[in-house]
Amino acid sequence: MFLTISFFIFSLLSLSHASVVDFCVADYNAPNGPAGYSCKTPKKVTADDFVFHGLATSGNTTNIIKAAVTPAFDAQFPGVNGLGISIARLDLAAAGFIPLHTHPGASEVLVVIQGTILAGFVSSADVVYIKTLNKGDVMVFPQGLVHFQINSGRSNALAFVSFSSANPGLQILDFALFKSDFPTELITATTFLDADLVKKLKGVLGGSG
Ligand SMILES: *[C@@H]1O[C@H](CO)[C@@H](O)[C@H](O)[C@H]1NC(C)=O
């Protein structure tokens, strides 16, 4: 009896540490900060704030990576603000790929809906984990680690990826180096790449410097 009562009181105390609001739908008219958007006045929140229609159609894969990521992060989907979750749609045309990248703010879980995807990540210990994923397969990518996805089938591939943050962040390694104005002499000084290769890749991706 004492244990039961103790547990009950403990449960109440634990609950008292939970968030005091049910949700914090993004108010796009107020400033955004590191913790996300300000909360929309609950009276103005409607069911539509918790529903996102943008993942129903495929993204435009006519681009250099033959792939498209359609995000439903806090900036697009007001209902996920403050919940620590988000989702995106991944379309990969034949030979499409998502270049080596990291999400500084979130772990990721990917589920293949159609096609075959070769995916992998590299750990902090420089161990590489690679797997071919088929329809229905799920793979996780731990927070902050560089990872990639490649369409390894002959037809289009479709996957949905969800994140442990409403704003997972995205940094693409090749874009940071070769799509930016990072001076070539500093890239060669801070990597093992030679200047000719750096300039060639900047030409391909549109970087300068
Ligand atoms: C897809 O993107 C390409 C390149 O930006 C563009 O030319 C094309 O019109 C787009 N297609 C659609 C259906 O929006």
Side-chain angles (χ1 to χ4, degrees), residues 95-125:
F97 67 103
I98 305 297
L100 208 54
H101 65 282
T102 170
H103 306 287
S107 292
E108 170 179 339
V109 54
L110 175 151
V111 56
V112 180
I113 305 299
Q114 178 195 318
T116 307
I117 294 175
L118 178 70
F121 67 87
V122 186
S123 74
S124 301

PDB file of all heavy atoms in Angstrom, residues 95-125:
ATOM      1  N   ALA A  95      19.748   7.222 -60.608  1.00  0.00           N
ATOM      2  CA  ALA A  95      21.096   7.790 -60.414  1.00  0.00           C
ATOM      3  C   ALA A  95      21.110   9.005 -59.479  1.00  0.00           C
ATOM      4  O   ALA A  95      22.141   9.669 -59.345  1.00  0.00           O
ATOM      5  CB  ALA A  95      21.758   8.125 -61.752  1.00  0.00           C
ATOM      6  N   GLY A  96      20.006   9.273 -58.828  1.00  0.00           N
ATOM      7  CA  GLY A  96      19.959  10.407 -57.896  1.00  0.00           C
ATOM      8  C   GLY A  96      20.629  10.077 -56.572  1.00  0.00           C
ATOM      9  O   GLY A  96      20.728   8.910 -56.189  1.00  0.00           O
ATOM     10  N   PHE A  97      21.082  11.112 -55.898  1.00  0.00           N
ATOM     11  CA  PHE A  97      21.724  10.899 -54.595  1.00  0.00           C
ATOM     12  C   PHE A  97      21.622  12.149 -53.736  1.00  0.00           C
ATOM     13  O   PHE A  97      21.503  13.257 -54.241  1.00  0.00           O
ATOM     14  CB  PHE A  97      23.201  10.501 -54.758  1.00  0.00           C
ATOM     15  CG  PHE A  97      24.082  11.592 -55.319  1.00  0.00           C
ATOM     16  CD1 PHE A  97      24.926  12.323 -54.477  1.00  0.00           C
ATOM     17  CD2 PHE A  97      24.064  11.906 -56.673  1.00  0.00           C
ATOM     18  CE1 PHE A  97      25.741  13.332 -54.992  1.00  0.00           C
ATOM     19  CE2 PHE A  97      24.873  12.924 -57.190  1.00  0.00           C
ATOM     20  CZ  PHE A  97      25.715  13.637 -56.343  1.00  0.00           C
ATOM     21  N   ILE A  98      21.643  11.929 -52.419  1.00  0.00           N
ATOM     22  CA  ILE A  98      21.745  13.038 -51.468  1.00  0.00           C
ATOM     23  C   ILE A  98      23.210  13.067 -51.030  1.00  0.00           C
ATOM     24  O   ILE A  98      23.688  12.115 -50.401  1.00  0.00           O
ATOM     25  CB  ILE A  98      20.826  12.836 -50.238  1.00  0.00           C
ATOM     26  CG1 ILE A  98      19.368  12.600 -50.669  1.00  0.00           C
ATOM     27  CG2 ILE A  98      20.918  14.039 -49.307  1.00  0.00           C
ATOM     28  CD1 ILE A  98      18.711  13.749 -51.397  1.00  0.00           C
ATOM     29  N   PRO A  99      23.931  14.131 -51.397  1.00  0.00           N
ATOM     30  CA  PRO A  99      25.369  14.169 -51.106  1.00  0.00           C
ATOM     31  C   PRO A  99      25.656  14.073 -49.598  1.00  0.00           C
ATOM     32  O   PRO A  99      24.796  14.400 -48.777  1.00  0.00           O
ATOM     33  CB  PRO A  99      25.814  15.536 -51.637  1.00  0.00           C
ATOM     34  CG  PRO A  99      24.710  16.039 -52.485  1.00  0.00           C
ATOM     35  CD  PRO A  99      23.456  15.368 -52.024  1.00  0.00           C
ATOM     36  N   LEU A 100      26.858  13.668 -49.279  1.00  0.00           N
ATOM     37  CA  LEU A 100      27.305  13.538 -47.892  1.00  0.00           C
ATOM     38  C   LEU A 100      26.927  14.799 -47.108  1.00  0.00           C
ATOM     39  O   LEU A 100      27.282  15.911 -47.515  1.00  0.00           O
ATOM     40  CB  LEU A 100      28.822  13.351 -47.910  1.00  0.00           C
ATOM     41  CG  LEU A 100      29.488  12.583 -46.778  1.00  0.00           C
ATOM     42  CD1 LEU A 100      28.855  11.208 -46.588  1.00  0.00           C
ATOM     43  CD2 LEU A 100      30.969  12.451 -47.060  1.00  0.00           C
ATOM     44  N   HIS A 101      26.173  14.602 -46.027  1.00  0.00           N
ATOM     45  CA  HIS A 101      25.672  15.761 -45.275  1.00  0.00           C
ATOM     46  C   HIS A 101      25.451  15.399 -43.815  1.00  0.00           C
ATOM     47  O   HIS A 101      25.500  14.220 -43.444  1.00  0.00           O
ATOM     48  CB  HIS A 101      24.354  16.253 -45.890  1.00  0.00           C
ATOM     49  CG  HIS A 101      23.217  15.283 -45.782  1.00  0.00           C
ATOM     50  ND1 HIS A 101      23.084  14.183 -46.610  1.00  0.00           N
ATOM     51  CD2 HIS A 101      22.160  15.210 -44.935  1.00  0.00           C
ATOM     52  CE1 HIS A 101      22.004  13.504 -46.286  1.00  0.00           C
ATOM     53  NE2 HIS A 101      21.413  14.103 -45.254  1.00  0.00           N
ATOM     54  N   THR A 102      25.193  16.414 -43.008  1.00  0.00           N
ATOM     55  CA  THR A 102      24.909  16.194 -41.587  1.00  0.00           C
ATOM     56  C   THR A 102      23.740  17.065 -41.154  1.00  0.00           C
ATOM     57  O   THR A 102      23.503  18.143 -41.719  1.00  0.00           O
ATOM     58  CB  THR A 102      26.155  16.491 -40.725  1.00  0.00           C
ATOM     59  OG1 THR A 102      25.770  16.497 -39.346  1.00  0.00           O
ATOM     60  CG2 THR A 102      26.780  17.824 -41.039  1.00  0.00           C
ATOM     61  N   HIS A 103      22.992  16.564 -40.177  1.00  0.00           N
ATOM     62  CA  HIS A 103      21.966  17.370 -39.506  1.00  0.00           C
ATOM     63  C   HIS A 103      22.500  17.641 -38.104  1.00  0.00           C
ATOM     64  O   HIS A 103      22.487  16.733 -37.256  1.00  0.00           O
ATOM     65  CB  HIS A 103      20.635  16.611 -39.437  1.00  0.00           C
ATOM     66  CG  HIS A 103      20.167  16.138 -40.787  1.00  0.00           C
ATOM     67  ND1 HIS A 103      19.663  16.995 -41.736  1.00  0.00           N
ATOM     68  CD2 HIS A 103      20.179  14.913 -41.353  1.00  0.00           C
ATOM     69  CE1 HIS A 103      19.366  16.304 -42.825  1.00  0.00           C
ATOM     70  NE2 HIS A 103      19.677  15.041 -42.623  1.00  0.00           N
ATOM     71  N   PRO A 104      22.984  18.856 -37.857  1.00  0.00           N
ATOM     72  CA  PRO A 104      23.605  19.131 -36.560  1.00  0.00           C
ATOM     73  C   PRO A 104      22.654  18.939 -35.384  1.00  0.00           C
ATOM     74  O   PRO A 104      23.091  18.629 -34.277  1.00  0.00           O
ATOM     75  CB  PRO A 104      24.030  20.596 -36.669  1.00  0.00           C
ATOM     76  CG  PRO A 104      24.069  20.899 -38.134  1.00  0.00           C
ATOM     77  CD  PRO A 104      23.053  20.007 -38.778  1.00  0.00           C
ATOM     78  N   GLY A 105      21.343  19.087 -35.628  1.00  0.00           N
ATOM     79  CA  GLY A 105      20.400  19.108 -34.511  1.00  0.00           C
ATOM     80  C   GLY A 105      19.521  17.891 -34.339  1.00  0.00           C
ATOM     81  O   GLY A 105      18.609  17.927 -33.503  1.00  0.00           O
ATOM     82  N   ALA A 106      19.758  16.805 -35.087  1.00  0.00           N
ATOM     83  CA  ALA A 106      18.782  15.723 -34.978  1.00  0.00           C
ATOM     84  C   ALA A 106      19.321  14.388 -35.470  1.00  0.00           C
ATOM     85  O   ALA A 106      20.121  14.325 -36.397  1.00  0.00           O
ATOM     86  CB  ALA A 106      17.527  16.058 -35.789  1.00  0.00           C
ATOM     87  N   SER A 107      18.829  13.325 -34.845  1.00  0.00           N
ATOM     88  CA  SER A 107      18.971  12.001 -35.428  1.00  0.00           C
ATOM     89  C   SER A 107      17.860  11.837 -36.453  1.00  0.00           C
ATOM     90  O   SER A 107      16.870  12.577 -36.438  1.00  0.00           O
ATOM     91  CB  SER A 107      18.842  10.916 -34.355  1.00  0.00           C
ATOM     92  OG  SER A 107      19.949  10.967 -33.484  1.00  0.00           O
ATOM     93  N   GLU A 108      18.059  10.882 -37.357  1.00  0.00           N
ATOM     94  CA  GLU A 108      17.135  10.710 -38.480  1.00  0.00           C
ATOM     95  C   GLU A 108      16.723   9.252 -38.581  1.00  0.00           C
ATOM     96  O   GLU A 108      17.531   8.362 -38.335  1.00  0.00           O
ATOM     97  CB  GLU A 108      17.878  11.148 -39.759  1.00  0.00           C
ATOM     98  CG  GLU A 108      17.170  10.835 -41.068  1.00  0.00           C
ATOM     99  CD  GLU A 108      17.975  11.343 -42.272  1.00  0.00           C
ATOM    100  OE1 GLU A 108      18.826  12.245 -42.116  1.00  0.00           O
ATOM    101  OE2 GLU A 108      17.767  10.809 -43.367  1.00  0.00           O
ATOM    102  N   VAL A 109      15.466   9.018 -38.953  1.00  0.00           N
ATOM    103  CA  VAL A 109      15.023   7.656 -39.268  1.00  0.00           C
ATOM    104  C   VAL A 109      14.401   7.693 -40.658  1.00  0.00           C
ATOM    105  O   VAL A 109      13.590   8.572 -40.964  1.00  0.00           O
ATOM    106  CB  VAL A 109      14.081   7.087 -38.189  1.00  0.00           C
ATOM    107  CG1 VAL A 109      12.889   7.970 -37.912  1.00  0.00           C
ATOM    108  CG2 VAL A 109      13.608   5.688 -38.554  1.00  0.00           C
ATOM    109  N   LEU A 110      14.869   6.796 -41.516  1.00  0.00           N
ATOM    110  CA  LEU A 110      14.437   6.768 -42.924  1.00  0.00           C
ATOM    111  C   LEU A 110      13.653   5.497 -43.184  1.00  0.00           C
ATOM    112  O   LEU A 110      14.064   4.410 -42.751  1.00  0.00           O
ATOM    113  CB  LEU A 110      15.674   6.840 -43.829  1.00  0.00           C
ATOM    114  CG  LEU A 110      15.485   6.714 -45.355  1.00  0.00           C
ATOM    115  CD1 LEU A 110      16.595   7.488 -46.069  1.00  0.00           C
ATOM    116  CD2 LEU A 110      15.497   5.264 -45.829  1.00  0.00           C
ATOM    117  N   VAL A 111      12.527   5.620 -43.884  1.00  0.00           N
ATOM    118  CA  VAL A 111      11.776   4.425 -44.293  1.00  0.00           C
ATOM    119  C   VAL A 111      11.587   4.473 -45.806  1.00  0.00           C
ATOM    120  O   VAL A 111      11.188   5.499 -46.363  1.00  0.00           O
ATOM    121  CB  VAL A 111      10.428   4.291 -43.536  1.00  0.00           C
ATOM    122  CG1 VAL A 111       9.545   5.512 -43.686  1.00  0.00           C
ATOM    123  CG2 VAL A 111       9.669   3.050 -44.010  1.00  0.00           C
ATOM    124  N   VAL A 112      11.952   3.378 -46.461  1.00  0.00           N
ATOM    125  CA  VAL A 112      11.841   3.306 -47.924  1.00  0.00           C
ATOM    126  C   VAL A 112      10.410   2.920 -48.296  1.00  0.00           C
ATOM    127  O   VAL A 112       9.880   1.919 -47.807  1.00  0.00           O
ATOM    128  CB  VAL A 112      12.828   2.273 -48.512  1.00  0.00           C
ATOM    129  CG1 VAL A 112      12.698   2.205 -50.032  1.00  0.00           C
ATOM    130  CG2 VAL A 112      14.255   2.610 -48.112  1.00  0.00           C
ATOM    131  N   ILE A 113       9.795   3.723 -49.168  1.00  0.00           N
ATOM    132  CA  ILE A 113       8.427   3.465 -49.622  1.00  0.00           C
ATOM    133  C   ILE A 113       8.441   2.793 -50.992  1.00  0.00           C
ATOM    134  O   ILE A 113       7.611   1.941 -51.292  1.00  0.00           O
ATOM    135  CB  ILE A 113       7.627   4.793 -49.715  1.00  0.00           C
ATOM    136  CG1 ILE A 113       7.659   5.543 -48.371  1.00  0.00           C
ATOM    137  CG2 ILE A 113       6.184   4.548 -50.175  1.00  0.00           C
ATOM    138  CD1 ILE A 113       7.060   4.793 -47.209  1.00  0.00           C
ATOM    139  N   GLN A 114       9.419   3.189 -51.821  1.00  0.00           N
ATOM    140  CA  GLN A 114       9.490   2.656 -53.180  1.00  0.00           C
ATOM    141  C   GLN A 114      10.949   2.651 -53.633  1.00  0.00           C
ATOM    142  O   GLN A 114      11.707   3.576 -53.318  1.00  0.00           O
ATOM    143  CB  GLN A 114       8.668   3.579 -54.090  1.00  0.00           C
ATOM    144  CG  GLN A 114       8.650   3.212 -55.565  1.00  0.00           C
ATOM    145  CD  GLN A 114       8.129   4.368 -56.419  1.00  0.00           C
ATOM    146  OE1 GLN A 114       7.158   5.026 -56.054  1.00  0.00           O
ATOM    147  NE2 GLN A 114       8.775   4.624 -57.534  1.00  0.00           N
ATOM    148  N   GLY A 115      11.339   1.605 -54.354  1.00  0.00           N
ATOM    149  CA  GLY A 115      12.680   1.550 -54.920  1.00  0.00           C
ATOM    150  C   GLY A 115      13.718   0.999 -53.958  1.00  0.00           C
ATOM    151  O   GLY A 115      13.399   0.414 -52.916  1.00  0.00           O
ATOM    152  N   THR A 116      14.980   1.207 -54.326  1.00  0.00           N
ATOM    153  CA  THR A 116      16.114   0.676 -53.564  1.00  0.00           C
ATOM    154  C   THR A 116      17.096   1.804 -53.282  1.00  0.00           C
ATOM    155  O   THR A 116      17.479   2.545 -54.198  1.00  0.00           O
ATOM    156  CB  THR A 116      16.817  -0.436 -54.382  1.00  0.00           C
ATOM    157  OG1 THR A 116      15.826  -1.397 -54.767  1.00  0.00           O
ATOM    158  CG2 THR A 116      17.884  -1.129 -53.571  1.00  0.00           C
ATOM    159  N   ILE A 117      17.479   1.943 -52.035  1.00  0.00           N
ATOM    160  CA  ILE A 117      18.359   3.038 -51.628  1.00  0.00           C
ATOM    161  C   ILE A 117      19.579   2.474 -50.913  1.00  0.00           C
ATOM    162  O   ILE A 117      19.452   1.652 -49.991  1.00  0.00           O
ATOM    163  CB  ILE A 117      17.605   4.039 -50.711  1.00  0.00           C
ATOM    164  CG1 ILE A 117      16.502   4.746 -51.513  1.00  0.00           C
ATOM    165  CG2 ILE A 117      18.573   5.047 -50.104  1.00  0.00           C
ATOM    166  CD1 ILE A 117      15.613   5.661 -50.684  1.00  0.00           C
ATOM    167  N   LEU A 118      20.756   2.901 -51.373  1.00  0.00           N
ATOM    168  CA  LEU A 118      22.009   2.553 -50.700  1.00  0.00           C
ATOM    169  C   LEU A 118      22.315   3.714 -49.757  1.00  0.00           C
ATOM    170  O   LEU A 118      22.448   4.858 -50.208  1.00  0.00           O
ATOM    171  CB  LEU A 118      23.125   2.386 -51.737  1.00  0.00           C
ATOM    172  CG  LEU A 118      24.515   2.063 -51.208  1.00  0.00           C
ATOM    173  CD1 LEU A 118      24.558   0.651 -50.638  1.00  0.00           C
ATOM    174  CD2 LEU A 118      25.543   2.198 -52.320  1.00  0.00           C
ATOM    175  N   ALA A 119      22.366   3.447 -48.467  1.00  0.00           N
ATOM    176  CA  ALA A 119      22.546   4.526 -47.502  1.00  0.00           C
ATOM    177  C   ALA A 119      23.646   4.172 -46.521  1.00  0.00           C
ATOM    178  O   ALA A 119      23.951   2.992 -46.303  1.00  0.00           O
ATOM    179  CB  ALA A 119      21.240   4.782 -46.741  1.00  0.00           C
ATOM    180  N   GLY A 120      24.256   5.201 -45.948  1.00  0.00           N
ATOM    181  CA  GLY A 120      25.298   4.937 -44.973  1.00  0.00           C
ATOM    182  C   GLY A 120      25.674   6.175 -44.193  1.00  0.00           C
ATOM    183  O   GLY A 120      25.295   7.285 -44.549  1.00  0.00           O
ATOM    184  N   PHE A 121      26.389   5.942 -43.104  1.00  0.00           N
ATOM    185  CA  PHE A 121      26.939   7.052 -42.334  1.00  0.00           C
ATOM    186  C   PHE A 121      28.313   6.677 -41.809  1.00  0.00           C
ATOM    187  O   PHE A 121      28.702   5.501 -41.836  1.00  0.00           O
ATOM    188  CB  PHE A 121      25.993   7.463 -41.190  1.00  0.00           C
ATOM    189  CG  PHE A 121      25.819   6.443 -40.094  1.00  0.00           C
ATOM    190  CD1 PHE A 121      26.696   6.393 -39.013  1.00  0.00           C
ATOM    191  CD2 PHE A 121      24.755   5.544 -40.128  1.00  0.00           C
ATOM    192  CE1 PHE A 121      26.518   5.456 -37.995  1.00  0.00           C
ATOM    193  CE2 PHE A 121      24.576   4.612 -39.106  1.00  0.00           C
ATOM    194  CZ  PHE A 121      25.465   4.562 -38.042  1.00  0.00           C
ATOM    195  N   VAL A 122      29.054   7.688 -41.375  1.00  0.00           N
ATOM    196  CA  VAL A 122      30.402   7.492 -40.847  1.00  0.00           C
ATOM    197  C   VAL A 122      30.400   7.937 -39.392  1.00  0.00           C
ATOM    198  O   VAL A 122      29.946   9.040 -39.078  1.00  0.00           O
ATOM    199  CB  VAL A 122      31.438   8.311 -41.653  1.00  0.00           C
ATOM    200  CG1 VAL A 122      32.856   7.983 -41.179  1.00  0.00           C
ATOM    201  CG2 VAL A 122      31.295   8.067 -43.154  1.00  0.00           C
ATOM    202  N   SER A 123      30.896   7.086 -38.524  1.00  0.00           N
ATOM    203  CA  SER A 123      30.889   7.418 -37.092  1.00  0.00           C
ATOM    204  C   SER A 123      32.053   8.345 -36.741  1.00  0.00           C
ATOM    205  O   SER A 123      32.967   8.564 -37.546  1.00  0.00           O
ATOM    206  CB  SER A 123      30.993   6.146 -36.255  1.00  0.00           C
ATOM    207  OG  SER A 123      32.318   5.642 -36.311  1.00  0.00           O
ATOM    208  N   SER A 124      32.049   8.838 -35.504  1.00  0.00           N
ATOM    209  CA  SER A 124      33.150   9.675 -35.012  1.00  0.00           C
ATOM    210  C   SER A 124      34.461   8.899 -34.973  1.00  0.00           C
ATOM    211  O   SER A 124      35.534   9.489 -34.975  1.00  0.00           O
ATOM    212  CB  SER A 124      32.844  10.187 -33.605  1.00  0.00           C
ATOM    213  OG  SER A 124      31.656  10.922 -33.604  1.00  0.00           O
ATOM    214  N   ALA A 125      34.356   7.564 -34.920  1.00  0.00           N
ATOM    215  CA  ALA A 125      35.551   6.716 -34.909  1.00  0.00           C
ATOM    216  C   ALA A 125      35.973   6.346 -36.335  1.00  0.00           C
ATOM    217  O   ALA A 125      36.813   5.469 -36.522  1.00  0.00           O
ATOM    218  CB  ALA A 125      35.282   5.461 -34.092  1.00  0.00           C
TER     219      ALA A 125
END
